[in-house]
Structures are given as C-alpha cells and as structure tokens.
C-alpha cells in the first residue's frame, strides 16, 4: 500500500521538480543579464519571471490535493477489498463516514424523495448484511487542505496523526505572512484562483531558492502523511479491534 501511494506521489513530485529546475536555470541566466530562451527574439522580462514563479504555488497545491485524494481513495478501497467487510465490521468512526456517504446526510437541498431513496438503500444494506461497496469519503478540505485540515481529517478516521518532530516543527513554522508551508500554499493558490491577486503580485520578493525550500518542507510533510495512511490501512485501523485479522 505504501509503495503504491509513494509511486503516485513521486510521479506528481517529478513534475514540480522539473519545473523548479527550469526556473533555476532562468534565475542563473539572470545573474549574467536578461535571461533568454535559445532562439527567442526577446529576453524573459522580470514580470514574466514572476508569473512563472507564481505557478509553483499552483503545482504544490496540486501535489497536496492529489496526495490527499489518493490516500482517501486507498482507505475506501480497503473497506471493499474482496467483499470482506460489512458495515458492522467498521470502526465507529469509519462506520459514521459510511453512513454519511450512503444516506447522503451531508447533502444539502436533497429533495425528500431522494433522501428517502438513500435511507432505503442504507436500510436494505444493513438488513441484508451486505459487504461494503465502494463509497466516497467526504473530503471536507477540498480546496483548503492545510496541515491543520489534514490533522482534523485524521481525527474523523478515528486516528491521531503523528509526524516526526523536525517535520512537525517545519510545517508549523511561519514562512511568510505568519503562515506555515501548507497554509501559505493554500492561501496563495486560492488567491490566484479567485483573482484576489495577480500572478505578478503573488511572486513579489520570491526567489527560486525560497520556492525550493517551500517545496522541500511540503514534500517532507506529505511523505509522512503517506506513511500514516499506509499504516492506518495495513494495521486495519478502519476495522473494529475485535474484528481485525491477527
């Protein structure tokens, strides 16, 4: 499980690192004069450089979102694997999530007929003691994943998120505007997406070395998140203790 999640993570990370290598090349050229792409008539302007830098925040948030989506999917896939587990086997925390998804209790403005239909589906599943089928775990943090949101999500799963002391300290230490790495990435990504700031404004006073440091702290934290979810699944923490395999 850990290997599969790590492979997906490394594929996304490779894109970010390739882009940062490109930016580093441009910054190195800028020390000798206006950077220029080979064959281009005009050099890259300072404005264009800042716009390129801003895109790193989008890519890093994409990495955070993709990592969480993969981990959440791995949990729900584990519950239905080999049609082995029934709702009564689930831990109290995950059973609550399964009920929420099956009965669609969190869906606002659901017409009475559809709400009744979902309740009947839940009832039949329990009465017939059917195995768990694939269900969607409500993310809750979509578009807003930070280290605090991830910690809260782990509590929803009935488990306390633990990361190493150095990584925890790094992800909590403010980098800019009193925000830690993930909180900063989330804010700037959302500001760009909502048009609150321009791409040029987003990268004011930004350097490639600063972006690389931000990437490293984000990656260190996400790698620990992957380990947490892999352990959660491999130890069958989503199952009631008395029902877990020996």
């Amino acid at each position: 499980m850990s290997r599969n999640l790590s492979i997906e993570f490394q594929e996304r990370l490779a894109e970010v690192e390739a882009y940062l290598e490109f930016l580093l090349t441009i910054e190195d050229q800028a020390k000798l004069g206006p950077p220029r792409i080979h064959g281009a008539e005009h050099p890259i302007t300072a404005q264009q450089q800042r716009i390129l830098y801003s895109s790193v925040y989008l890519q890093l948030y994409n990495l955070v979102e993709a990592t969480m989506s993969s981990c959440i999917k791995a949990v729900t896939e584990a519950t239905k694997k080999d049609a082995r587990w029934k709702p009564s086997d689930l831990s109290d925390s995950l059973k609550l999530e399964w009920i929420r998804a099956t009965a669609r209790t969190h869906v606002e403005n659901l017409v009475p007929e559809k709400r009744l239909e979902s309740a009947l589906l839940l009832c039949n599943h329990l009465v017939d003691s059917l195995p768990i089928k694939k269900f969607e775990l409500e993310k809750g943090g979509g578009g807003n994943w930070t280290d605090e949101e991830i910690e809260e999500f782990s509590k929803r799963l009935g488990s306390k998120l633990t990361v190493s002391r150095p990584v925890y300290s790094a992800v909590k230490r403010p980098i800019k505007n009193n925000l830690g790495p993930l909180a900063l990435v989330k804010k700037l990504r959302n500001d760009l997406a909502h048009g609150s700031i321009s791409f040029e404004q987003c990268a004011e006073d930004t350097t490639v070395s600063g972006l690389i440091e931000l990437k490293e702290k984000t990656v260190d934290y996400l790698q620990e998140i992957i380990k947490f979810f892999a352990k959660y699944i491999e130890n069958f923490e989503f199952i009631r203790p008395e029902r877990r395999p020996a």
Side-chain angles (χ1 to χ4, degrees):
M1 178 56 64
S2 178
R3 183 174 180 275
N4 291 339
L5 289 174
S6 294
I7 289 174
E8 292 181 28
F9 178 76
Q10 290 299 328
E11 289 174 350
R12 293 289 184 118
L13 176 58
E15 295 179 352
V16 180
E17 293 184 330
Y19 189 72
L20 284 169
E21 288 179 11
F22 167 66
L23 295 184
L24 196 57
T25 299
I26 292 176
E27 190 171 79
D28 287 341
Q29 287 185 8
K31 296 175 183 177
L32 305 175
R36 184 189 300 271
I37 295 176
H38 181 70
E41 181 179 355
H42 302 289
I44 297 172
T45 66
Q47 180 191 42
Q48 290 169 332
Q49 219 171 322
R50 286 192 289 271
I51 292 171
L52 290 171
Y53 288 1
S54 293
S55 296
V56 174
Y57 298 110
L58 302 180
Q59 293 182 19
L60 283 176
Y61 189 79
N62 178 272
L63 182 65
V64 174
E65 181 83 35
T67 300
M68 287 305 298
S69 294
S70 294
C71 289
I72 292 170
K73 180 181 178 182
V75 171
T76 58
E77 288 289 324
T79 64
K80 75 178 186 69
K81 186 177 181 182
D82 302 325
R84 181 179 186 180
W85 307 113
K86 298 177 181 179
S88 58
D89 296 319
L90 298 179
S91 66
D92 290 342
S93 296
L94 205 63
K95 187 188 298 178
L96 186 65
E97 296 298 330
W98 177 80
I99 291 172
R100 185 203 307 271
T102 305
R104 298 198 287 177
T105 60
H106 60 290
V107 179
E108 297 181 5
N109 303 320
L110 193 64
V111 297
E113 291 79 8
K114 291 295 182 181
R115 196 171 297 280
L116 178 61
E117 182 181 304
S118 297
L120 182 61
L121 180 65
L122 173 66
C123 182
N124 288 339
H125 200 119
L126 295 174
V127 169
D128 295 337
S129 193
L130 299 174
I132 297 290
K133 295 181 180 179
K134 185 176 181 179
F135 69 100
E136 296 293 331
L137 244 173
E138 184 190 7
K139 295 181 181 180
N144 290 289
W145 286 119
T146 64
D147 49 289
E148 291 184 355
E149 288 287 343
I150 294 172
E151 288 168 11
E152 285 301 314
F153 188 83
S154 71
K155 291 179 183 177
R156 280 178 50 195
L157 297 182
S159 186
K160 178 177 172 56
L161 176 64
T162 56
V163 298
S164 65
R165 187 180 298 275
V167 171
Y168 183 84
S169 297
V171 84
K172 296 297 182 183
R173 188 177 300 119
I175 290 181
K176 184 178 180 181
N177 299 333
N178 205 34
L179 298 173
L182 268 71
L184 179 63
V185 168
K186 184 267 292 189
K187 183 180 187 308
L188 293 179
R189 177 266 186 186
N190 285 350
D191 285 348
L192 287 170
H194 299 149
S196 302
I197 58 174
S198 68
F199 278 78
E200 184 178 6
Q201 290 172 325
C202 179
E204 285 179 347
D205 304 319
T206 298
T207 62
V208 177
S209 61
L211 292 172
I212 290 175
E213 180 183 1
L214 178 64
K215 181 267 298 183
E216 290 175 347
K217 291 179 177 179
T218 301
V219 167
D220 287 346
Y221 183 75
L222 292 178
Q223 287 177 327
E224 299 237 359
I225 297 304
I226 290 173
K227 291 178 183 177
F228 164 79
F229 274 92
K231 180 181 177 183
Y232 177 86
I233 295 168
E234 289 164 2
N235 291 347
F236 295 96
E237 292 183 41
F238 58 94
I239 298 299
R240 300 177 67 85
E242 66 273 17
R243 295 287 295 135
R244 292 172 190 169

